[in-house]
Every structure is written in structure tokens, then in C-alpha cells.
Amino acid sequence: MNRLAGEPGDADADVEAAKLRAALQSWGLFAVTGHGMPDPFLDEILAATRGFFHLPPEEKERYSNVVVANDGDGGGERFQTEGYGVDRVDTDEQILDWCDRLYLQHPAALRGLLEEYTRRSEQVFRRVLSATARSLGFGEEFFADKVGERVATYARFTYYPPCPRPELVYGLKPHTDNSVLTVLLLDKHVGGLQLLKDGRWLDIPIMSNGVFIAPVHRVVTSERERVSVVMFYQPEPHKDLAPSEELVDRRGAAGAIKAKDFGDGVWDAFAAGERTIDMLKVKIEQEEANVSNTYL
Ligand SMILES: O=C(O)CCC(=O)C(=O)O
Ligand SMILES: [Fe+2]
């Protein structure tokens, strides 16, 4: 991490940025070292995560992502993105995942740790973002300006229970994340994360630090339990998502979509097992159709 920082024109930082670019273009994932977060601190986060998921079901249900529906229809239940439980199930055909999640709500035991982790991993995120811009020959603020000062950070804790038939079910089905960058804190003892590269699924070896992910990935189950803590970084909700003019020859048909609209739809893509980028293309086309209809 430290080597990525440098004044404009700093040759060492340029060399590191070029390595970063190569990693992002070929793999979309890399291990982060030198981030300054001590191992005991990261261990504590993983232990607290495991501790939460080991609580009796009735304790965890206090954070449930299924809540009473206040839709005036006389009761019923409704899924909300936040909270503890399995992901939303839309159809009988949907591929289910062998995991429990805790998203955006944080029990007291995790809160303090998460605040500290949020502060420190945002520094990692910002440094990588600047280096990414640098590696493409832009000023360090190039992407940071697009993301905004108050980056939206979503923390997700995932528990993969021991699975007696790992050959039958994924921990998490193949997907891409919808974040600018994802910082992933991996279980130190049990692997399972796999990455799709040139049509083949490759195991990501266990590393003691976080990694960043952009490509299609999935998690396989095993007979041992596993946890992970994921931080998704997204632009401020009012920001436009669009290809940077500097990065495309011609803007062509690609339009913009609000970061919020994109984020709101990501569950649909995940539940359907679709790539987020494909969904983004469809959304942009729809938005453009709506705009042109307005002017007809
Ligand atoms: O648990 C992992 O290693 C990956 C989790 C993940 O890909 C996600 O939550 O989007
Ligand atoms: Fe993911």
C-alpha cells in the first residue's frame, strides 16, 4: 500500500501503479499488503463475526431481514435488504446460497470494531483509487471526484455453515459486485472463494490480508464453516455512472445512470444470477428510451 503513494512523477509510485493496472486488467483482484491494519485487529473482526453467527437463532432473529409489512394489507411479512438472514428469494427457480448474511445492521459487539475498520479500510480504498487513476495516466483525483467525498460504504458479514454435500450447492453463486471496489476480509482457515478466469474457476488461496475484487466470482462450500467480511464502496447516490469520456474514443450510445438506481437494482441481478454489468447496460438503454420518449 505504502508504495502506491507518491507525488506526481514519483518513479517508484508509477512502477507500483503499473503493477496495479496489470493486476486489475488481468485478474481484477489482488492481495493488499502494507495496509497498516495489525493482524490481531483483523482477527478480532473475524472472531466477532463468527461470534454473532454462533448466537442462538432467537438472538440473531432480533436483526432479521424479514419484517412485518406495513402495507395496510393487514399483516404479512416483507423482506428488507438490511439485517440478518438469507438473501431475498423471488422465485422457486432461484438458485439459493448456502450462507447466512448480516448486512448494514450491526450488533453492539461488532459496532466499535466496524467503525475502526471502516475508517481504516476507506484509506486503503482511496489509495487504490488514486493509484488506479495514476496508472491510467490521470491525476490522482480522477476517480475520487467521480465517487464523491462521502463514499457510500456497505458492510456485509457472511457465514457459510459446514456443508455435508459441497458438490451440490454453492456458498455464493457466481456474480460480480456492483461496487467501485470491494475490500474483502477472508477467513484465515477455510478457503472457498473462486474466480472465473479464461473460462475456468480458480481457487483463491487463503491470504492473511484483504483483497479487491471486480470479476465474476463465487464461493464453494465445504465441510468446515467459513466467514468473510466485505466492504463495498459505491459513489455518492446522486452521482452519475457512465464511461469516462477520457477512457472511450467516442461516447457513443453509452449514457449515464444514477448510482442510486444502479445500486437499487443490484439485488435483482444477483437473485437472477446475472452479471451486474449486463444489467447496467439494460438499465441505461431503458433510461435512454424514457428520455427520448419524453421528447417525442
Ligand atoms: O465470502 C467471500 O469470500 C466472498 C463474498 C462475496 O463475494 C460477496 O459478498 O459479494
Ligand atoms: Fe462478491
Side-chain angles (χ1 to χ4, degrees), residues 169-190:
V169 64
Y170 294 128
L172 209 52
K173 58 181 150 305
H175 67 281
T176 52
D177 297 342
N178 73 328
S179 48
V180 177
L181 285 171
T182 300
V183 177
L184 179 50
L185 178 59
L186 296 172
D187 194 299
K188 281 176 90 168
H189 308 289
V190 180

Side-chain angles (χ1 to χ4, degrees), residues 197-213:
K197 174 103 169 86
D198 304 329
R200 291 176 54 207
W201 287 101
L202 304 177
D203 287 320
I204 302 302
I206 296 175
M207 292 171 271
S208 60
N209 291 299
V211 294
F212 293 90
I213 292 176

Side-chain angles (χ1 to χ4, degrees), residues 279-292:
M279 194 195 69
L280 176 64
K281 282 183 200 143
V282 172
K283 273 206 160 194
I284 287 178
E285 276 162 23
Q286 278 168 356
E287 298 232 332
E288 285 183 345
N290 290 344
V291 170
S292 49

